[in-house]
Amino acid sequence: MTRQWLTKARKDLMMAEFLNNSEQDFKEGVAFHCQQSIEKSLKAYLVFNGIPVRKTHNLMGLLR
């Protein structure tokens, strides 16, 4: 499960990098995918450490 979260996190980061390197202004999309990558990375950390992961998008809640 940890690997699955990290794979998804990496894909979000790749998308953020792709949008950031675009000629277009995709700042909102870059921010969204960065947040998603961080969220999924935190969930991977929690799963790896045996801490139950609840369905949330709240980064501060996941950090607690």
Side-chain angles (χ1 to χ4, degrees):
M1 186 64 129
T2 300
R3 186 179 310 267
Q4 291 172 341
W5 279 118
L6 289 175
T7 298
K8 291 177 183 183
R10 179 68 185 140
K11 287 180 180 179
D12 277 315
L13 186 57
M14 290 170 62
M15 180 58 76
E17 291 171 343
F18 175 80
L19 292 172
N20 191 52
N21 292 328
S22 172
E23 298 287 326
Q24 301 294 317
D25 179 12
F26 290 122
K27 288 182 183 94
E28 293 87 1
V30 171
F32 173 78
H33 286 289
C34 285
Q35 186 277 339
Q36 288 291 296
S37 181
I38 294 165
E39 177 186 326
K40 291 167 184 165
S41 296
L42 286 171
K43 289 179 179 181
Y45 173 82
L46 294 173
V47 168
F48 182 77
N49 286 285
I51 301 169
V53 176
R54 58 189 172 90
K55 187 172 183 172
T56 184
H57 299 291
N58 183 329
L59 296 180
M60 295 308 291
L62 289 169
L63 284 170
R64 285 188 211 110

